[in-house]
Amino acid sequence: MYVCLCQGVTDGQIRDAIYEGCCSYREVRETLGVGTQCGKCACLAKQVVRETLGEVQSGNALAYSANFVAA
Ligand code: FES
């Protein structure tokens, strides 16, 4: 699903950025450019970041992260 139409950023890309080491909305924005034009996506983008960080912290994404590191 597209979160940011201006930059063509999907929720999957935001999740990947977090699995790759981003740990805040600011870092995701700097990495992907999400929310840097019209800004309409900021609210949704922050929500995706928050949800994903929650998953990472609760360990649900550990298997995925481990695969990513191993690959
Ligand atoms: S939709 Fe993300 S900056 Fe416009």
Side-chain angles (χ1 to χ4, degrees), residues 3-9 25 33-42 45:
V3 172
C4 178
L5 290 177
C6 294
Q7 299 289 341
V9 177
Y25 169 68
V34 62
T36 53
Q37 285 192 29
C38 74
K40 282 183 189 156
C41 57

Side-chain angles (χ1 to χ4, degrees), residues 17-53:
I18 291 169
Y19 293 135
E20 287 169 27
C22 289
C23 50
S24 67
Y25 169 68
R26 211 188 64 171
E27 286 183 13
V28 170
R29 192 183 60 197
E30 284 167 4
T31 303
L32 299 175
V34 62
T36 53
Q37 285 192 29
C38 74
K40 282 183 189 156
C41 57
C43 202
L44 180 57
K46 281 180 195 166
Q47 196 183 318
V48 175
V49 169
R50 220 177 305 129
E51 280 174 14
T52 310
L53 286 175

